[in-house]
Structures are given as C-alpha cells and as structure tokens.
Amino acid sequence: MLKIGVLGAGHLGKIHLRLLNQSDKYELVGFYDPFQENAAKVAAEFGYRTFDSIAELIAAVDVIDIVTPTLSHFDCAKAAIQQGKHVFLEKPITNTVAEAEELIALAKQYGVQGQVGHVERFNPAFQAIKGKIEQPMFIETHRLAEFNPRGTDVPVVLDLMIHDLDVILSVVNSPVKFVSASGVSILSESPDIANARVEFENGCVANITASRISMKNMRKTRFFQKDAYISVDYLDKVCEVVKMKEAPAAPGDFDLIFQNAEGVKKQIYYDNPKVGSNNAILEELETFAEAINNQTTPVVTLEDGAAALRLAHQIIACFK
C-alpha cells in the first residue's frame, strides 16, 4: 500500500479523504489544510490526522493528492516532486500552461509519476463506449450546471468545459488547427456561459457549450463518425450507439432499412453497451496507484492535463 497525504480539506478534499481511507491501494497518512479551524473540524469529525505544514506531510508519504485551489497547484506539486513524491492533481493541472510544462519537466527529472483528475475519463458511461469511438468527425457537447458560487473565481471554461476538452482530446488523434469562441459574464466577473468551436487538422470539428447558470444540470456528448452516432450521458450514466451497415438482400420484418437518393440501402441497428457501476473518483485514484506500482503510464498524464489547459486558454483568449 502506498502512503498518501491530501493537501486541501474543502468540499472535494473531504471526498478524497473518505475514499482514500476506504481504499486498499493506499494507506491514508493524513492531510494538511491551511485553515486551522477547518482542519481541526475535519480531524475531529472523521479522525484523520492533520499535519502542521505541507513540508511535514510531504515527508511522511509516497504520494501527494493535491485538492487545493488551482492557483496553488504548481507550488504544492513542485514541492512534492522535488522530494521524490508522486503527485495527483485535481483539474485543471495548474493555473498556467508554463507551470504545467515545468511540472512535466520536473516529474521526468525526479523520476516520479503524475496524474490529473479529469474524472469523466472514469465515468462508467464513457468507459462503456470509448472503445467504439473511431475517428469522430463531429462532436457536440453540452455541460450545463445550476449556479453554485464555488468555482466562480475562474471562467466557466476552466470550471466546467475543461472536462469535455480533455475527453475530446483523448479521442481525436489530431492537432488543433483553429479555435473560435464566445463567452458571456452574467453573475460572475468571468464568463458564466461559453461556446467554442474547435477544428482539428484531420477535419474533425467539436462544438462545445458550457454554462453554470442553467435551470437544470446536463452533461452530454455526441460523437458522429462514419456509419455511426454515439451518445454519452455522463450525468445519468447511459450511452447509446446507433450504427449503419449495408442492408441485407432479404431484410427481416423488423429490420430498419433506409434508402438514400442514390438508391443505396442501409440498415440501422442499435448497440447499447452495458454500463458498469463505479465510483469514478475512487477509480481514478486507484488506477494511479496501479500505474505507480507497475511503472506504467497513468490514464490521464500530466501531458494530458497540460493539453486540456492549453486548449482552454486558447478558448479564453477568444473572449478578449
């Protein structure tokens, strides 16, 4: 079991602490939170050991789980890496792309592993269909959330949209060619709703919408590729694959057949992959332990986190 410590005991930090305490991949050593009142409350309520400094916690563990505000990610991760500790960073990886690139270099220099918390990669609905996504040419995503003051210190692109940017980059094997976007600030100082169009060099186009002022929650993505349409609902954890193939010479009574203007007949059929049940946050943390122990590549690398952040900043630059 790897010894792990958590930096930050806010809303998400407490979730990480609870899950790590249950995990058989880690030994939860304790946590550090700079707000002494909150640290004392969490320690008293759940029995976790609280440390007096970041340095003291880093010295006591093999892995540091960073669940602090984004502005502090770089300093926390750098301090851990330079002590030879593996790091798990909540998304976004850092505040700036330059910081992310420096962490990547440091991790290589000190021979440690790093993973970024892009949790939708571990959503069971996405896991059920990701193997069926092959060269998508059009992608449409909607990530809508009811207003929550938490996270409004950053644009909605870094708060919500970055989840979809990471997923899209993980399935489109092509460099970004062009980005256009618009964003509107309504309740916050930074944009609360944004739409981006990302064009890739292979011709794929992604249309991405994110809002944190919606009347209802929605987290859906649709992938369109040759002879197939794939949808995934991250919120309700369901997915659907609609495929087309050459129509049989003698269709059955219940076969769904379409004929286009050129007279070509296609059969439409549905594939509903079985969606498993998991705790995505626990799975992302435990797969990181496996990557460390087996010396394999983490599911979401520091490079992946940097790529998503780079695209997010390209989008944000369009607002100015």
Side-chain angles (χ1 to χ4, degrees):
M1 294 175 70
L2 293 164
K3 293 183 178 180
I4 191 167
V6 177
L7 293 181
H11 173 75
L12 188 55
K14 285 190 284 189
I15 294 174
H16 279 229
L17 283 164
R18 174 175 57 82
L19 294 173
L20 290 168
N21 198 41
Q22 297 171 359
S23 174
D24 59 5
K25 306 279 187 185
Y26 292 102
E27 176 191 339
L28 177 61
V29 174
F31 74 98
Y32 170 77
D33 190 288
F35 300 101
Q36 293 184 355
E37 185 177 340
N38 183 60
K41 182 179 178 182
V42 171
E45 185 174 354
F46 302 103
Y48 310 133
R49 179 185 172 189
T50 179
F51 283 73
D52 294 329
S53 69
I54 293 176
E56 184 184 348
L57 179 61
I58 290 173
V61 300
D62 306 307
V63 185
I64 285 290
D65 179 12
I66 301 168
V67 201
T68 60
T70 305
L71 286 172
S72 63
H73 282 191
F74 174 75
D75 289 337
C76 293
K78 183 177 181 179
I81 291 170
Q82 288 180 328
Q83 293 301 314
K85 312 298 181 176
H86 306 288
V87 293
F88 182 97
L89 287 140
E90 257 310 321
K91 63 83 193 171
I93 177 173
T94 49
N95 188 48
T96 69
V97 175
E99 289 176 342
E101 290 172 343
E102 186 172 341
L103 288 187
I104 291 168
L106 284 169
K108 291 176 180 176
Q109 178 184 344
Y110 287 89
V112 299
Q113 293 269 37
Q115 181 164 315
V116 184
H118 284 290
V119 73
E120 294 292 33
R121 295 266 208 112
F122 299 85
N123 188 296
F126 178 68
Q127 289 185 328
I129 56 91
K130 66 181 180 180
K132 300 180 184 296
I133 302 173
E134 300 173 357
Q135 292 188 309
M137 296 310 292
F138 181 69
I139 302 170
E140 188 165 39
T141 77
H142 289 88
R143 185 169 296 265
L144 315 178
E146 297 175 0
F147 184 74
N148 185 332
R150 241 179 349 104
T152 55
D153 55 325
V154 296
V156 71
V157 176
L158 293 174
D159 182 27
L160 298 178
M161 187 184 285
I162 197 165
H163 284 294
D164 299 305
L165 301 181
D166 172 69
V167 167
I168 290 167
L169 290 173
S170 76
V171 299
V172 179
N173 187 26
S174 178
V176 172
K177 178 182 178 181
F178 180 76
V179 175
S180 60
S182 60
V184 181
S185 303
I186 296 174
L187 294 174
S188 313
E189 293 300 315
S190 58
D192 295 303
I193 183 168
N195 175 264
R197 176 184 170 91
V198 179
E199 300 177 20
F200 294 88
E201 289 185 4
N202 69 350
C204 179
V205 172
N207 187 32
I208 313 153
T209 300
S211 170
R212 57 187 176 203
I213 52 168
S214 177
M215 297 299 289
K216 64 176 183 178
N217 294 322
M218 178 188 292
R219 287 156 41 195
K220 292 183 178 180
T221 300
R222 294 182 293 169
F223 303 90
F224 298 85
Q225 59 195 42
K226 183 174 174 57
D227 293 334
Y229 155 77
I230 300 167
S231 68
V232 55
D233 187 326
Y234 301 99
L235 195 60
D236 292 333
K237 296 178 175 57
V238 294
C239 59
E240 180 181 53
V241 181
V242 181
K243 290 187 174 180
M244 299 183 71
K245 63 181 179 180
E246 295 299 323
D253 292 339
F254 299 102
D255 289 345
L256 188 57
I257 308 296
F258 280 92
Q259 180 174 317
N260 65 17
E262 288 76 31
V264 177
K265 293 182 179 180
K266 295 272 190 176
Q267 179 185 356
I268 294 180
Y269 65 103
Y270 295 89
D271 179 10
N272 296 105
K274 183 179 180 182
V275 177
S277 177
N278 75 341
N279 183 302
I281 297 176
L282 177 60
E283 186 166 331
E284 67 177 355
L285 290 165
E286 291 196 333
T287 60
F288 184 46
E290 291 166 5
I292 294 169
N293 287 327
N294 299 327
Q295 296 185 333
T296 54
T297 303
V299 176
V300 185
T301 63
L302 297 179
E303 288 84 356
D304 291 338
L309 182 65
R310 186 177 295 108
L311 181 52
H313 278 290
Q314 284 180 266
I315 292 167
I316 292 169
C318 295
F319 302 157
K320 297 175 183 178

